[in-house]
Amino acid sequence: MVLNRLEELPAHLDPQCLLISNLNRDTYAETLFEFFNKFQDVEHVEIDLDKQNRSKGSAIILFVQPLTNYNIILSKFRIDGKLIVMGFAPKGFVSTHSWRETSKRPDHIGVPAVHFSLGTMLASKTFVDLWSYPKDIQFTMNFNLRQISIYFRHLEHRYRMDFGFNNINGEMKMEREGLSTHLTFTLWCPARTWRETVVQREQKPQQQPYMINGNNTNNNVRNDYNNSIPSPSPLRTNRSFNNTNNTNNNMIRATKTTTDRIWERVLDIPLDKNAQILINRENEKSKRERTPVFPEYLPHRVNLAAWRTYRIKFEPPEHMLKDFETMLKNAAHYNLISREFNLRRQLPLRVLPASQLPQKPHNHIERAKKLEDFDVLYYLECAITQGLIDEINLDNTLYEVLNEIGSTNQQYPRGILKALLEEENSRVWKPYDAISKVFNQKSLKVASSTAVPDHCVLIRKVIVTPTTMYLQPPTLEVTNRVIRHFSAYADRFLRVQFVDEGMTRVAAAFDAETSDVIYSRIYKVLQGGIQIGTRRYDFLAFSSSQLRGHGCWFFAPTRELSCGMIRSWMGSFTHVKTVAKRAVRMGQVK
């Protein structure tokens, strides 16, 4: 009979410090503190963070006194839906480890909110409310991770939006009127959005802790507890036991079926129930047809890409006023709001419902119909996708002026928009005035083109994220063999790179549930291509270096030249079955 017990700890291990791995990357230090404090007093919890202050999925638990029960590392605990792995730290680890400085400020503060709106700024003092949610909202600031999370329930689902402090454009605008407080702020990049999902897990029969005289030997736990700690929201765990009595070894075998809640990454939030039905139909259609991806958000959804201005209303109950004021003071310490927020009175913003807009904003397809030149459209889309110009500020007069200027020479509107992209680094509230200013300052000089050496070429680039894409102005690059051979079509080549929100690298898939939608987005772009105006760019090829950087080449086919014809000219690679090896072979041609 094998006893799953650890009577003595090897001399090279430290019983006062535990090393935890395989953690849910959304688990907070407070959760670990509360969980392990049930066994013995915890002195310090430290979650390992990467360069972006995101959890690596590992942590360090330091107890006040050495553990007296070593069998804790043999137990199987599930925290926030993941089965963690535990082990004792080696001797000397505590004294040699570079512990992060702990602050007297709380690491994590959450307060309820009464109203949450998404929209955009029509002017510096005018907020356009494009979608709002009026109840069951939780606003959380994590000062350890320097991250804000907003929780809300919509259409019977619970959602969470995460974004870092460094993703906030400038200071939050704070307004106070009586017991109400409003926070309004704009993000540089869309927030990462998650949806709470129920997952059923079945555990195989396993031996329970060894029993002596009917008593569990693992009796060092202070209180009764469930090995599976409360998941993101309360949910009952169902267990079906299949007991087998064995008087010889007092062992119990059980089959468990546990129900957990996990946070699943999502790219779409339907506007209403009817929108959810339409989205499901669109998804089924896209599986059957190869439809290109446009540089705009699809209808029937909350526009997470463009509606990046958030407005939140707080009316904290009396017992949470102290926590709310503490949160504001800490936010001021991190320069999220003015340090004089209690002294300086800010004028209230004008809130404009979407129904009161003078005209409905034009989408990409409508702009493509109004602008006659592809390059002019491309430069305008660069300004829109990069947040320099909002489509809500565009009107028919601007399109007419650009077409009129380009009627004599298309280099004029191209040069004006190019100069606007190069010189402006903040939001342009009045695009027509800004374009007129550039034209008056530079006059005919805007038509001057960039000198391109013989060994270089101007190449466009598109950065694709889970919720949007950023069009980049053409940049000077050294040519390769393919572009030199097809130099007459150099203007139709396109660099494409795939990144996560915030321009961070697409992370590895630790959980299939949390990454499927991101990979589906990448696959859809590769399969269907990218549509910009009248041009449809299709996947061409990639080199080994591009593969490491999550990039590739696209090409806009013509009647004379297609992507297949270019690949045929590069050579025959049908005998190479390995994807990475084929990329190396094709990269050698370039």
Side-chain angles (χ1 to χ4, degrees):
M1 179 176 63
V2 179
L3 303 181
N4 292 335
R5 287 182 51 76
L6 190 62
E7 299 291 350
E8 294 183 1
L9 191 68
H12 67 281
L13 297 180
D14 186 355
Q16 193 174 351
C17 185
L18 281 179
L19 302 181
I20 312 297
S21 59
N22 200 41
L23 265 179
N24 188 318
R25 293 180 176 238
D26 295 320
T27 296
Y28 292 126
E30 292 86 348
T31 303
L32 296 176
F33 186 94
E34 293 174 1
F35 182 78
F36 285 98
N37 206 54
K38 297 175 182 178
F39 297 90
Q40 201 159 298
D41 289 331
V42 175
E43 178 181 342
H44 186 74
V45 175
E46 183 175 287
I47 294 180
D48 295 330
L49 305 178
D50 59 16
K51 293 180 179 179
Q52 283 79 34
N53 285 324
R54 296 179 300 184
S55 172
K56 291 182 178 180
S58 56
I60 306 168
I61 312 294
L62 180 62
F63 295 93
V64 176
Q65 298 292 334
L67 282 170
T68 56
N69 177 26
Y70 307 142
N71 293 290
I72 185 175
I73 65 171
L74 302 178
S75 303
K76 294 184 178 181
F77 299 129
R78 192 177 292 275
I79 299 179
D80 286 345
K82 291 205 68 174
L83 195 66
I84 64 171
V85 179
M86 297 178 290
F88 287 107
K91 287 280 189 182
F93 175 84
V94 175
S95 58
T96 58
H97 178 71
S98 299
W99 298 90
R100 288 198 301 271
E101 293 184 4
T102 56
S103 173
K104 294 182 180 179
R105 299 181 183 85
D107 292 337
H108 179 268
I109 298 180
V111 294
V114 297
H115 200 271
F116 175 41
S117 300
L118 274 69
T120 187
M121 300 298 292
L122 181 64
S124 59
K125 298 293 183 181
T126 304
F127 170 73
V128 181
D129 188 345
L130 297 170
W131 183 81
S132 59
Y133 193 77
K135 59 181 180 179
D136 196 15
I137 304 155
Q138 181 80 6
F139 183 88
T140 302
M141 280 192 178
N142 189 315
F143 300 100
N144 187 20
L145 299 178
R146 290 171 173 79
Q147 176 179 286
I148 294 176
S149 299
I150 301 174
Y151 300 80
F152 61 95
R153 190 173 294 277
H154 176 59
L155 297 181
E156 301 179 354
H157 288 287
R158 193 166 180 238
Y159 291 91
R160 187 185 88 222
M161 303 179 78
D162 294 338
F163 50 92
F165 290 177
N166 58 356
N167 193 15
I168 299 175
N169 184 358
E171 286 185 350
M172 296 179 174
K173 296 180 177 64
M174 193 179 83
E175 310 157 61
R176 278 191 158 172
E177 184 178 355
L179 299 177
S180 300
T181 302
H182 286 89
L183 286 181
T184 307
F185 52 91
T186 301
L187 303 182
W188 290 107
C189 303
R192 300 187 183 195
T193 306
W194 309 78
R195 182 178 62 201
E196 200 177 46
T197 304
V198 178
V199 176
Q200 299 281 349
R201 289 188 174 93
E202 291 187 1
Q203 298 180 1
K204 296 180 179 179
Q206 53 185 327
Q207 181 175 308
Q208 300 296 312
Y210 184 66
M211 310 286 287
I212 297 179
N213 297 328
N215 296 322
N216 192 334
T217 58
N218 189 5
N219 58 1
N220 200 45
V221 181
R222 303 176 191 177
N223 303 312
D224 294 336
Y225 65 94
N226 189 334
N227 286 355
S228 180
I229 71 165
S231 41
S233 67
L235 184 69
R236 180 171 295 178
T237 301
N238 299 319
R239 292 181 176 87
S240 58
F241 291 97
N242 186 10
N243 296 333
T244 303
N245 295 325
N246 189 329
T247 57
N248 295 327
N249 55 17
N250 294 325
M251 295 180 64
I252 300 176
R253 295 188 179 274
T255 301
K256 295 182 179 179
T257 301
T258 60
T259 303
D260 295 321
R261 289 188 184 272
I262 65 169
W263 288 106
E264 175 188 26
R265 185 78 177 270
V266 293
L267 309 182
D268 299 324
I269 299 180
L271 290 172
D272 49 41
K273 291 184 178 180
N274 292 332
Q276 181 64 71
I277 298 174
L278 295 174
I279 291 173
N280 294 337
R281 291 177 183 174
E282 290 177 3
N283 293 336
E284 291 297 326
K285 183 179 179 181
S286 62
K287 292 178 182 179
R288 300 190 303 267
E289 303 176 4
R290 290 182 53 187
T291 55
V293 179
F294 289 83
E296 65 177 2
Y297 215 70
L298 295 175
H300 318 306
R301 299 160 172 84
V302 177
N303 195 336
L304 301 174
W307 303 346
R308 298 201 301 266
T309 300
Y310 298 173
R311 183 173 172 84
I312 304 171
K313 181 181 180 181
F314 299 93
E315 290 180 355
E318 186 175 354
H319 70 278
M320 298 201 71
L321 283 175
K322 184 177 179 180
D323 289 341
F324 182 64
E325 293 300 322
T326 302
M327 185 185 73
L328 293 179
K329 290 177 182 178
N330 291 342
H333 175 79
Y334 285 93
N335 297 320
L336 298 179
I337 61 176
S338 172
R339 291 177 181 259
E340 301 176 349
F341 66 91
N342 276 328
L343 302 176
R344 190 174 67 182
R345 177 178 174 83
Q346 291 193 5
L347 296 176
L349 293 177
R350 179 192 175 199
V351 179
L352 188 69
S355 58
Q356 295 183 15
L357 286 174
Q359 65 176 18
K360 183 181 178 181
H362 298 110
N363 58 29
H364 173 77
I365 297 175
E366 293 169 339
R367 290 192 293 271
K369 294 178 181 178
K370 291 180 178 295
L371 293 174
E372 300 170 356
D373 182 63
F374 173 80
D375 288 309
V376 174
L377 172 68
Y378 185 86
Y379 276 115
L380 182 60
E381 294 300 322
C382 288
I384 293 173
T385 58
Q386 295 180 30
L388 187 63
I389 297 175
D390 196 299
E391 60 183 17
I392 205 169
N393 295 116
L394 300 176
D395 55 17
N396 291 325
T397 304
L398 180 71
Y399 306 130
E400 294 171 0
V401 169
L402 290 174
N403 288 330
E404 184 179 351
I405 296 175
S407 60
T408 55
N409 187 348
Q410 289 292 352
Q411 290 297 334
Y412 290 148
R414 297 174 191 172
I416 291 173
L417 292 173
K418 180 182 177 183
L420 194 66
L421 285 165
E422 293 173 350
E423 297 175 3
E424 295 289 344
N425 54 10
S426 59
R427 171 76 179 273
V428 176
W429 301 109
K430 298 180 179 180
Y432 177 78
D433 293 345
I435 288 174
S436 301
K437 181 180 177 181
V438 171
F439 187 70
N440 293 333
Q441 287 178 346
K442 297 193 174 185
S443 188
L444 301 180
K445 292 181 181 179
V446 295
S448 58
S449 57
T450 305
V452 180
D454 294 338
H455 64 284
C456 296
V457 65
L458 289 171
I459 292 293
R460 299 183 179 90
K461 181 180 180 179
V462 172
I463 300 176
V464 179
T465 71
T467 57
T468 186
M469 61 177 68
Y470 301 97
L471 277 61
Q472 306 294 306
T475 56
L476 204 62
E477 294 188 15
V478 178
T479 60
N480 55 47
R481 185 179 173 187
V482 175
I483 294 179
R484 285 194 298 271
H485 183 81
F486 299 99
S487 57
Y489 303 92
D491 178 63
R492 305 184 75 86
F493 285 90
L494 180 72
R495 276 188 180 273
V496 177
Q497 184 181 12
F498 298 95
V499 299
D500 206 340
E501 305 296 359
M503 297 296 177
T504 57
R505 185 179 175 87
V506 177
F510 294 97
D511 293 304
E513 296 93 346
T514 61
S515 302
D516 278 352
V517 291
I518 299 178
Y519 297 142
S520 298
R521 162 79 167 176
I522 295 173
Y523 177 74
K524 184 176 180 180
V525 174
L526 292 174
Q527 184 188 48
I530 297 174
Q531 184 85 28
I532 304 176
T534 57
R535 290 189 184 181
R536 173 170 172 168
Y537 291 88
D538 292 329
F539 171 75
L540 177 61
F542 53 86
S543 62
S544 56
S545 59
Q546 284 182 314
L547 186 62
R548 289 191 294 270
H550 299 168
C552 56
W553 282 100
F554 276 50
F555 180 77
T558 65
R559 293 183 179 180
E560 298 81 17
L561 185 64
S562 65
C563 294
M565 295 168 66
I566 296 176
R567 286 192 287 266
S568 297
W569 174 86
M570 293 170 66
S572 176
F573 305 98
T574 55
H575 61 286
V576 184
K577 304 301 181 183
T578 306
V579 175
K581 187 178 291 186
R582 180 177 293 193
V584 172
R585 298 291 182 267
M586 300 180 77
Q588 290 172 348
V589 176
K590 294 187 175 185

